[in-house]
Amino acid sequence: MKIFKFKEVLPQIPNLLFRGRMKFRFELLPFEARDIPWKKRWNFLVAGLNQFFLPAKSWGYPPTAQVEPANICNLQCSLCFTTSQNGSRPSALLPFETFKRFIDDVGDYLLVMVLWNWGEPFLNPDIFKIIQYAASKGILVHTSTNGNVMFNEETADKIVDSGLNSLVFGVDGATPETYKKYREGGDLERVKENIRAVVAAKKRKASTKPILNLRFVAMQHNEHELPLVKEMAHQLGVDFFSIKSVDMPPGLGENLEQMYRPKDEKYRRYEYVNGTYIHKKKPFVCMRPWKRIALDALGHVISCEYDYKDQHSFGIVGNGNANSTLDIWRGQVAQTFRRHFAKGHNDYYHCKACTYKDIRTEECNIAAFPIGTDRQRSN
């Protein structure tokens, strides 16, 4: 949860400063930023100092962004706030003009953009314009899909041509019966067809991007199919297969652990006390309000993507607001929030229920495996 880890960044500082390059892992996937402008290089280092001093008015500007193209979805996944909290905010698709203003204000400092939150990104008809505009500013764009929005050959070509760096397909079962237990309303065969379409488009265009990651969320009802889903990843020709621990927000009920906690301990997000469903307490330092700027589909700059009710909006982009996005992110409302933010342990509703607290590892992704040729698989 730190802005950067010194053991990973320090050896790369000469490469960053003098060649404008930096390699890093994001959600366990390999990324490389090239031709980084001086403004971004310097800001990355300055912003990193926030983790030591926690100033109310952040030093530098956010090196990462989380943007929500849509807060609606075509599925009804039982653990997702899009479904359970759909009355908390009006349904919305992020307008391209709002996004453009956001990028025009922030893009000179961003290295990475996570293009999803509570909703299916590809329901936004402007999604390709959004990706292309961000990529044109030298931002590495990482997005995700449930794969149930049909990708024909034309759409697949747009995905490859957009400048997208990586695309996650959520596939949580090897059989339709298991898949639908969580991805309610989803069609596994459609997802596989869509993956094949994007793989074929990459081959047609001899492109290495986007990196395609078939991601499996390990749960009690599907963990037995994990080897079959990994084999499916090989057959479909994606670049990576990854395993993620299941997100069980406490606000959705007290029986989630019993229903969804995997039996195999290595797939669990938490360690437990004496065989109970009580989490063992772990040290936790959250840097979200300093390292990442979050924009929701309504145009609000929020403290964290888990503020799904917009109760702690720092301000709204556009809509008659004369302040720039950076003014909002460093403004009085944001400063008040950070001043009272006690390293992840506080009374904000979304912080008390944060599923990153007490997590066994530093992030919720458990493992990622490169998918190669049969020869590589045998090594």
PDB file of all heavy atoms in Angstrom, residues 251-263:
ATOM      1  N   GLY A 251     -19.917  -4.876   5.160  1.00  0.00           N
ATOM      2  CA  GLY A 251     -21.206  -4.217   5.072  1.00  0.00           C
ATOM      3  C   GLY A 251     -22.281  -5.042   4.402  1.00  0.00           C
ATOM      4  O   GLY A 251     -23.473  -4.697   4.465  1.00  0.00           O
ATOM      5  N   LEU A 252     -21.900  -6.135   3.758  1.00  0.00           N
ATOM      6  CA  LEU A 252     -22.884  -6.970   3.063  1.00  0.00           C
ATOM      7  C   LEU A 252     -23.402  -8.119   3.932  1.00  0.00           C
ATOM      8  O   LEU A 252     -24.192  -8.928   3.470  1.00  0.00           O
ATOM      9  CB  LEU A 252     -22.275  -7.540   1.778  1.00  0.00           C
ATOM     10  CG  LEU A 252     -21.807  -6.517   0.749  1.00  0.00           C
ATOM     11  CD1 LEU A 252     -21.356  -7.219  -0.526  1.00  0.00           C
ATOM     12  CD2 LEU A 252     -22.902  -5.515   0.432  1.00  0.00           C
ATOM     13  N   GLY A 253     -22.961  -8.198   5.197  1.00  0.00           N
ATOM     14  CA  GLY A 253     -23.475  -9.244   6.076  1.00  0.00           C
ATOM     15  C   GLY A 253     -22.373  -9.965   6.820  1.00  0.00           C
ATOM     16  O   GLY A 253     -21.201  -9.920   6.431  1.00  0.00           O
ATOM     17  N   GLU A 254     -22.746 -10.656   7.889  1.00  0.00           N
ATOM     18  CA  GLU A 254     -21.778 -11.306   8.760  1.00  0.00           C
ATOM     19  C   GLU A 254     -21.483 -12.749   8.376  1.00  0.00           C
ATOM     20  O   GLU A 254     -20.604 -13.372   8.947  1.00  0.00           O
ATOM     21  CB  GLU A 254     -22.276 -11.250  10.204  1.00  0.00           C
ATOM     22  CG  GLU A 254     -22.412  -9.829  10.740  1.00  0.00           C
ATOM     23  CD  GLU A 254     -22.902  -9.790  12.167  1.00  0.00           C
ATOM     24  OE1 GLU A 254     -23.210 -10.888  12.701  1.00  0.00           O
ATOM     25  OE2 GLU A 254     -22.989  -8.695  12.738  1.00  0.00           O
ATOM     26  N   ASN A 255     -22.254 -13.309   7.437  1.00  0.00           N
ATOM     27  CA  ASN A 255     -22.087 -14.726   7.109  1.00  0.00           C
ATOM     28  C   ASN A 255     -21.257 -14.955   5.849  1.00  0.00           C
ATOM     29  O   ASN A 255     -21.194 -16.073   5.351  1.00  0.00           O
ATOM     30  CB  ASN A 255     -23.453 -15.389   6.937  1.00  0.00           C
ATOM     31  CG  ASN A 255     -24.250 -14.769   5.787  1.00  0.00           C
ATOM     32  OD1 ASN A 255     -23.961 -13.651   5.373  1.00  0.00           O
ATOM     33  ND2 ASN A 255     -25.237 -15.491   5.298  1.00  0.00           N
ATOM     34  N   LEU A 256     -20.609 -13.908   5.354  1.00  0.00           N
ATOM     35  CA  LEU A 256     -19.875 -14.041   4.096  1.00  0.00           C
ATOM     36  C   LEU A 256     -18.696 -14.988   4.224  1.00  0.00           C
ATOM     37  O   LEU A 256     -18.410 -15.761   3.306  1.00  0.00           O
ATOM     38  CB  LEU A 256     -19.396 -12.677   3.615  1.00  0.00           C
ATOM     39  CG  LEU A 256     -20.483 -11.655   3.274  1.00  0.00           C
ATOM     40  CD1 LEU A 256     -19.850 -10.373   2.751  1.00  0.00           C
ATOM     41  CD2 LEU A 256     -21.448 -12.209   2.251  1.00  0.00           C
ATOM     42  N   GLU A 257     -17.970 -14.898   5.336  1.00  0.00           N
ATOM     43  CA  GLU A 257     -16.802 -15.755   5.518  1.00  0.00           C
ATOM     44  C   GLU A 257     -17.197 -17.228   5.427  1.00  0.00           C
ATOM     45  O   GLU A 257     -16.512 -18.033   4.794  1.00  0.00           O
ATOM     46  CB  GLU A 257     -16.146 -15.478   6.876  1.00  0.00           C
ATOM     47  CG  GLU A 257     -15.755 -14.036   7.115  1.00  0.00           C
ATOM     48  CD  GLU A 257     -14.424 -13.671   6.486  1.00  0.00           C
ATOM     49  OE1 GLU A 257     -13.742 -14.569   5.978  1.00  0.00           O
ATOM     50  OE2 GLU A 257     -14.079 -12.482   6.494  1.00  0.00           O
ATOM     51  N   GLN A 258     -18.285 -17.580   6.071  1.00  0.00           N
ATOM     52  CA  GLN A 258     -18.732 -18.965   6.066  1.00  0.00           C
ATOM     53  C   GLN A 258     -19.141 -19.433   4.683  1.00  0.00           C
ATOM     54  O   GLN A 258     -18.927 -20.578   4.304  1.00  0.00           O
ATOM     55  CB  GLN A 258     -19.907 -19.120   7.039  1.00  0.00           C
ATOM     56  CG  GLN A 258     -20.343 -20.566   7.253  1.00  0.00           C
ATOM     57  CD  GLN A 258     -21.356 -20.698   8.359  1.00  0.00           C
ATOM     58  OE1 GLN A 258     -21.666 -19.734   9.045  1.00  0.00           O
ATOM     59  NE2 GLN A 258     -21.867 -21.893   8.551  1.00  0.00           N
ATOM     60  N   MET A 259     -19.700 -18.526   3.894  1.00  0.00           N
ATOM     61  CA  MET A 259     -20.197 -18.877   2.568  1.00  0.00           C
ATOM     62  C   MET A 259     -19.102 -18.906   1.511  1.00  0.00           C
ATOM     63  O   MET A 259     -19.115 -19.757   0.613  1.00  0.00           O
ATOM     64  CB  MET A 259     -21.284 -17.882   2.139  1.00  0.00           C
ATOM     65  CG  MET A 259     -22.559 -17.962   2.930  1.00  0.00           C
ATOM     66  SD  MET A 259     -23.697 -16.632   2.473  1.00  0.00           S
ATOM     67  CE  MET A 259     -23.923 -16.966   0.729  1.00  0.00           C
ATOM     68  N   TYR A 260     -18.124 -17.974   1.605  1.00  0.00           N
ATOM     69  CA  TYR A 260     -17.202 -17.773   0.497  1.00  0.00           C
ATOM     70  C   TYR A 260     -15.740 -18.096   0.816  1.00  0.00           C
ATOM     71  O   TYR A 260     -14.938 -18.231  -0.102  1.00  0.00           O
ATOM     72  CB  TYR A 260     -17.297 -16.334  -0.006  1.00  0.00           C
ATOM     73  CG  TYR A 260     -18.605 -16.028  -0.686  1.00  0.00           C
ATOM     74  CD1 TYR A 260     -19.641 -15.386  -0.010  1.00  0.00           C
ATOM     75  CD2 TYR A 260     -18.818 -16.399  -2.012  1.00  0.00           C
ATOM     76  CE1 TYR A 260     -20.855 -15.116  -0.634  1.00  0.00           C
ATOM     77  CE2 TYR A 260     -20.027 -16.130  -2.641  1.00  0.00           C
ATOM     78  CZ  TYR A 260     -21.033 -15.487  -1.945  1.00  0.00           C
ATOM     79  OH  TYR A 260     -22.222 -15.232  -2.564  1.00  0.00           O
ATOM     80  N   ARG A 261     -15.374 -18.195   2.082  1.00  0.00           N
ATOM     81  CA  ARG A 261     -13.973 -18.424   2.426  1.00  0.00           C
ATOM     82  C   ARG A 261     -13.483 -19.749   1.852  1.00  0.00           C
ATOM     83  O   ARG A 261     -14.067 -20.804   2.117  1.00  0.00           O
ATOM     84  CB  ARG A 261     -13.803 -18.432   3.949  1.00  0.00           C
ATOM     85  CG  ARG A 261     -12.356 -18.567   4.392  1.00  0.00           C
ATOM     86  CD  ARG A 261     -12.231 -18.526   5.898  1.00  0.00           C
ATOM     87  NE  ARG A 261     -12.633 -19.790   6.516  1.00  0.00           N
ATOM     88  CZ  ARG A 261     -12.539 -20.047   7.821  1.00  0.00           C
ATOM     89  NH1 ARG A 261     -12.079 -19.092   8.637  1.00  0.00           N
ATOM     90  NH2 ARG A 261     -12.904 -21.199   8.309  1.00  0.00           N
ATOM     91  N   PRO A 262     -12.411 -19.732   1.047  1.00  0.00           N
ATOM     92  CA  PRO A 262     -11.896 -20.989   0.479  1.00  0.00           C
ATOM     93  C   PRO A 262     -11.453 -21.955   1.579  1.00  0.00           C
ATOM     94  O   PRO A 262     -10.979 -21.542   2.641  1.00  0.00           O
ATOM     95  CB  PRO A 262     -10.702 -20.537  -0.372  1.00  0.00           C
ATOM     96  CG  PRO A 262     -10.958 -19.098  -0.670  1.00  0.00           C
ATOM     97  CD  PRO A 262     -11.661 -18.569   0.544  1.00  0.00           C
ATOM     98  N   LYS A 263     -11.582 -23.235   1.296  1.00  0.00           N
ATOM     99  CA  LYS A 263     -11.118 -24.248   2.250  1.00  0.00           C
ATOM    100  C   LYS A 263      -9.590 -24.326   2.265  1.00  0.00           C
ATOM    101  O   LYS A 263      -8.987 -24.578   3.300  1.00  0.00           O
ATOM    102  CB  LYS A 263     -11.727 -25.602   1.889  1.00  0.00           C
ATOM    103  CG  LYS A 263     -13.240 -25.644   2.044  1.00  0.00           C
ATOM    104  CD  LYS A 263     -13.812 -27.002   1.644  1.00  0.00           C
ATOM    105  CE  LYS A 263     -15.330 -27.005   1.786  1.00  0.00           C
ATOM    106  NZ  LYS A 263     -15.923 -28.307   1.372  1.00  0.00           N
TER     107      LYS A 263
END
